[in-house]
Amino acid sequence: MTAPKHPARPRRVGRLLRILLPALIILSWLVAASFGGPLFGKVDEVSSNDRTAYLPSSSDSARVQELQTRFAGSDEIPAIVVAASDGKLTEAQRTALSEAVAATKEIPGVDDDVSPALASDDGKAVQAFVPIRSDADLGEVVTDIRAHLDDAAPSGVTVYVTGPAGFSADLVAGFAGIDGILLGVALAAVLVILVLVYRSLLLPVVVLATSMFALCTALLVVWWLAKWGVLLLSGQTQGILFILVIGAATDYALLFVSRFREALRVEEDRGRAVLSAWKGAFEPILASGGTVIAGLLCLLLSDLRSNSALGPVAAIGIVFAMLAALTLLPALLMAFGRAAFWPRRPRFDPDAVAAEGGMPTTGVWARLAGLIRRRSRVIWIATTLVLAAGTLGVLQLDASGVPQSDLVLGSSPARDGQKVLGEHFPGGSGSPVQVVVAKGSLQRAADALLADEGIDGVTVVAEDSPSGTAPVTDDGVQPVGRPGTPAPEPTVVDGDVMLQGTLTAAADSSAAEETVRRLRSALEGSDAVVGGVTATSLDTDDASLHDRALIIPVILVVIMLILMMLLRAIVAPVLLIVTTVLSFGTAMGVSALVFNGILRFPGADPAVPLYGFVFLVALGIDYNIFLMTRVREESRRHGTREGVRRGLAITGGVITSAGLVLATTFAALAVIPILFLAQLAFIVAFGVLLDTFVVRSLLVPALVHDVGRAVWWPSKLSRGER
């Protein structure tokens, strides 16, 4: 007697799994996103835009910043109040301003140690120093101070709040739209592109939902890591994370959807179509994401924590972008099936696919593939010459650093205040050079400062002095107060004292930086350490230049090794790297011409070329990976030259759509009025479009077609052309 068979049971189990598994995946992502979504408005709780927080701990500026708290007994951030009139201030106006400044100590977040209002030599302005507690909301406190002083200012007098606190507040205001405006612009632009690409209403929503769930989950992880002190987060890093995840997740989703559409034409069952798409998309998505992650993690070699912190933060974002594209998106497509493409549903028509030979025979990309087959050498040589000409603009790129006052585009009250301050007081008032030196070397260090033409005066921190400092001249520390008052004793911390030199030039000017360099040279060989606002900017720029020279070659080597493993060849990866670097050079050259000749930017941060390189090379190589993995797949069946033609015809549409999406998302960074982000937005957006429409569409296919099977050397594909 034979055992009864139950053929229906496995089918029921299979159907149950096909329902439960996608549902569990979607539910898991929904739960994670529900925890991450509310954190969009709370990123400022775990982020910092303080430049000294990102300096290497071994730098002079970081060491002085650490000691300053011990000398001052607190770590307040100084705000400089400057009030000016067209004519000389009257006694009544000076009195009103003094009372208004003194009243700022009543504002929450302001320390009690507010300085008196001091008149300028020309009598047209007064200045005062208002210390803000480091644990206060800097942007909110500065806004309150400005509002209070504007209300209390006498008629005919304009009041400004500038200095470190003022500029930091302007930066905070510049990043204020990063949660709402930036995301809104990016998502709206991507939605329009997706609707035009798919001509569907549901599929763009599915793709964007995949991207947003990836971003919410990535933010959940990054927020808590920043909360626990594992990662450093800034407004700049936050903006890049948002854009990178949206762009990358959408790109990976486009690739998967393209494979799914292909599979639906030869598979009637949606489950089989999803599985086929997953198998076809897994390797290029994994290779693409892995390449970007490897490039980003190279930033860990940076001396600047602003760079080294971006690496893991952005890498976490890419991890979740890949996971969403390979888990959430397949689950959603499993749920919707062909309905996701409504009203242009792909038809199950394997006979038509067989008649086409598995590739489109009409359209722009089929015609371009045919042109490359006929004129490959002419195309790649001409394209190379045009790109090489574009690189010449790099000679005009000024990426040596920009003043802090130019970091914010558009209006900046702190910048306006600094200009007025420089018209009536020494330009560096409120942001002195700070020199920590052994007590026994105080006079020698003071003499070096006094002898420099860039220093207007020297003081030493002295807690016994009413103002907290005492003047230092060639004759030593001078008394403060009535005649006969003894000179106060300098504050000593671990045997050291702190001198402060008032700069004649604005603290963020190139003249001030030259003064700091001269002082460091004059004090070389002693135990003196030079810090302050200017030194912080100088050390940051120097560290950026060091990072650029170190990290760029490392990224090239790492990506080269990844491509060799992926393509199982040496020649093809070398060609891809060379074309990508050429594209980067052209993007930087054109950007330099636009920045200098059209937008009239004051220069660029030294980190701009580094960030541009990381994103353009890591992301630009993505499209070559998408193309070349398909070319390799087709070459195994049809030979290299036919594989190039088929690979370009099949992937042309989806890669172009992905390039448009990524360029659009990075261009959205320009809505944030921060110079660094505006420049990065243009460089990456233009570079991605260049990669999409020139390098990947013309240069790489034509070059690979011309080289032929040798491009796969030393793999087996290089030894046989079918």
Side-chain angles (χ1 to χ4, degrees):
M1 182 175 177
T2 58
K5 296 181 180 180
H6 302 282
R9 184 175 299 172
R11 286 198 296 270
R12 285 199 299 269
V13 172
R15 283 197 298 270
L16 191 61
L17 284 176
R18 290 176 61 174
I19 296 172
L20 284 180
L21 185 58
L24 287 174
I25 291 173
I26 294 171
L27 181 62
S28 299
W29 278 98
L30 183 61
V31 170
S34 67
F35 283 104
L39 298 178
F40 277 105
K42 299 181 179 180
V43 177
D44 58 337
E45 296 178 10
V46 295
S47 64
S48 169
N49 294 306
D50 180 9
R51 298 183 78 179
T52 57
Y54 297 98
L55 281 170
S57 57
S58 59
S59 69
D60 286 359
S61 298
R63 291 163 61 192
V64 171
Q65 178 68 21
E66 182 181 355
L67 290 169
Q68 182 185 10
T69 302
R70 300 177 64 188
F71 277 103
S74 61
D75 54 352
E76 295 106 345
I77 303 170
I80 303 175
V81 174
V82 57
S85 175
D86 292 336
K88 286 192 174 184
L89 295 171
T90 65
E91 185 66 30
Q93 287 175 323
R94 287 198 298 270
T95 301
L97 289 170
S98 295
E99 292 174 352
V101 168
T104 57
K105 67 179 65 175
E106 304 299 327
I107 297 174
V110 175
D111 195 75
D112 292 336
D113 194 19
V114 177
S115 78
L118 304 175
S120 61
D121 291 339
D122 60 11
K124 296 181 179 181
V126 297
Q127 70 166 338
F129 303 99
V130 179
I132 299 175
R133 290 194 292 272
S134 61
D135 59 350
D137 185 325
L138 190 63
E140 184 177 329
V141 174
V142 170
T143 299
D144 291 344
I145 293 173
R146 284 172 173 160
H148 162 72
L149 293 175
D150 285 343
D151 291 340
S155 177
V157 177
T158 305
V159 183
Y160 305 89
V161 178
T162 184
F167 282 114
S168 295
D170 286 357
L171 278 175
V172 170
F175 284 116
I178 209 162
D179 290 333
I181 298 175
L182 177 61
L183 267 181
V185 170
L187 291 174
V190 171
L191 180 61
V192 170
I193 293 174
L194 292 177
V195 169
L196 293 175
V197 168
Y198 291 127
R199 299 176 189 177
S200 164
L201 298 178
L202 180 58
L203 192 56
V205 175
V206 170
V207 171
L208 274 186
T210 302
S211 302
M212 281 304 299
F213 276 42
L215 178 57
C216 290
T217 310
L219 181 60
L220 175 65
V221 174
V222 168
W223 194 93
W224 280 105
L225 289 176
K227 178 79 170 177
W228 295 330
V230 178
L231 296 175
L232 274 175
L233 197 59
S234 67
Q236 177 177 291
T237 302
Q238 176 190 351
I240 292 173
L241 173 68
F242 288 2
I243 290 303
L244 188 61
V245 174
I246 293 294
T250 305
D251 276 7
Y252 301 152
L254 285 168
L255 180 63
F256 191 96
V257 169
S258 173
R259 289 279 189 168
F260 182 56
R261 188 200 294 268
E262 287 182 39
L264 285 174
R265 298 187 66 198
V266 295
E267 296 284 357
E268 189 170 13
D269 180 74
R270 73 174 73 173
R272 292 180 180 274
V274 168
L275 182 60
S276 175
W278 196 91
K279 289 178 179 178
F282 176 77
E283 185 179 32
I285 289 177
L286 187 65
S288 171
T291 303
V292 177
I293 290 171
L296 290 168
L297 291 182
C298 289
L299 290 173
L300 289 171
L301 299 173
S302 171
D303 281 343
L304 282 176
R305 296 180 70 191
S306 54
N307 293 342
S308 60
L310 173 65
V313 168
I316 289 170
I318 294 296
V319 167
F320 284 104
M322 289 193 299
L323 286 175
L326 292 173
T327 59
L328 176 60
L329 181 62
L332 291 171
L333 293 177
M334 184 72 181
F336 290 109
R338 284 180 168 81
F341 294 89
W342 184 86
R344 297 167 59 90
R345 303 185 187 192
R347 294 182 179 179
F348 172 64
D349 195 351
D351 294 336
V353 174
E356 294 171 355
M359 63 168 283
T361 55
T362 60
V364 173
W365 298 107
R367 290 196 296 271
L368 182 60
L371 177 63
I372 287 174
R373 182 174 59 178
R374 297 189 300 272
R375 296 284 188 271
S376 61
R377 185 165 299 176
V378 172
I379 290 174
W380 78 256
I381 291 176
T383 305
T384 300
L385 291 175
V386 171
L387 292 175
T391 63
L392 297 177
V394 172
L395 300 175
Q396 298 187 33
L397 180 66
D398 177 16
S400 58
V402 293
Q404 184 183 23
S405 56
D406 288 326
L407 294 179
V408 177
L409 299 174
S411 64
S412 169
R415 181 170 58 230
D416 297 338
Q418 179 174 279
K419 181 180 179 181
V420 173
L421 184 70
E423 292 172 354
H424 302 283
F425 298 93
S429 295
S431 302
V433 173
Q434 297 169 325
V435 180
V436 176
V437 65
K439 183 181 179 182
S441 302
L442 184 156
Q443 192 58 48
R444 179 190 168 198
D447 290 342
L449 268 69
L450 291 167
D452 194 287
E453 61 184 5
I455 298 296
D456 184 70
V458 179
T459 61
V460 64
V461 175
E463 60 183 350
D464 294 338
S465 171
S467 63
T469 61
V472 182
T473 67
D474 294 335
D475 298 325
V477 180
Q478 301 300 304
V480 178
R482 293 175 296 178
T485 302
E489 282 294 319
T491 300
V492 180
V493 174
D494 296 336
D496 293 331
V497 296
M498 176 178 280
L499 294 170
Q500 296 181 338
T502 301
L503 292 158
T504 57
D508 63 350
S509 65
S510 57
E513 290 188 355
E514 287 303 315
T515 299
V516 171
R517 291 191 189 277
R518 288 196 304 270
L519 291 175
R520 284 178 170 173
S521 178
L523 295 170
E524 190 174 2
S526 68
D527 55 358
V529 183
V530 181
V533 172
T534 306
T536 296
S537 177
L538 187 63
D539 289 346
T540 300
D541 290 345
D542 288 347
S544 292
L545 292 172
H546 167 268
D547 290 347
R548 207 164 70 192
L550 170 66
I551 294 174
I552 286 178
V554 172
I555 290 176
L556 286 176
V557 172
V558 169
I559 292 179
M560 176 85 76
L561 293 175
I562 292 175
L563 288 175
M564 287 179 178
M565 289 187 289
L566 174 67
L567 299 177
R568 301 167 183 86
I570 293 177
V571 175
V574 170
L575 294 180
L576 294 181
I577 287 291
V578 170
T579 58
T580 303
V581 171
L582 178 62
S583 174
F584 168 72
T586 305
M588 293 303 299
V590 172
S591 297
L593 296 176
V594 172
F595 295 163
N596 297 339
I598 299 176
L599 300 178
R600 303 291 181 183
F601 285 153
D605 189 280
V608 166
L610 174 61
Y611 279 43
F613 183 85
V614 169
F615 291 118
L616 275 184
V617 172
L619 295 173
I621 209 74
D622 276 4
Y623 303 126
N624 284 330
I625 288 175
F626 291 166
L627 171 66
M628 291 303 292
T629 51
R630 190 60 183 248
V631 168
R632 189 176 189 279
E633 179 183 327
E634 298 293 335
S635 296
R636 294 169 66 180
R637 295 194 294 265
H638 305 283
T640 300
R641 289 189 167 90
E642 179 63 15
V644 170
R645 187 177 76 88
R646 296 175 65 86
L648 179 59
I650 293 170
T651 64
V654 63
I655 295 178
T656 300
S657 301
L660 286 172
V661 166
L662 191 63
T664 301
T665 52
F666 264 93
L669 281 173
V671 303
I672 304 300
I674 303 297
L675 177 64
F676 179 91
L677 293 181
Q679 291 176 325
L680 187 64
F682 182 86
I683 291 170
V684 177
F686 177 77
V688 167
L689 293 176
L690 193 66
D691 267 332
T692 303
F693 289 100
V694 179
V695 177
R696 191 269 314 158
S697 299
L698 296 172
L699 178 57
V700 170
L703 186 57
V704 173
H705 188 280
D706 195 27
V707 174
R709 65 185 182 185
V711 79
W712 306 115
W713 184 87
S715 70
K716 291 181 180 179
L717 275 177
S718 67
R719 296 192 289 274
E721 185 80 71
R722 293 192 299 166

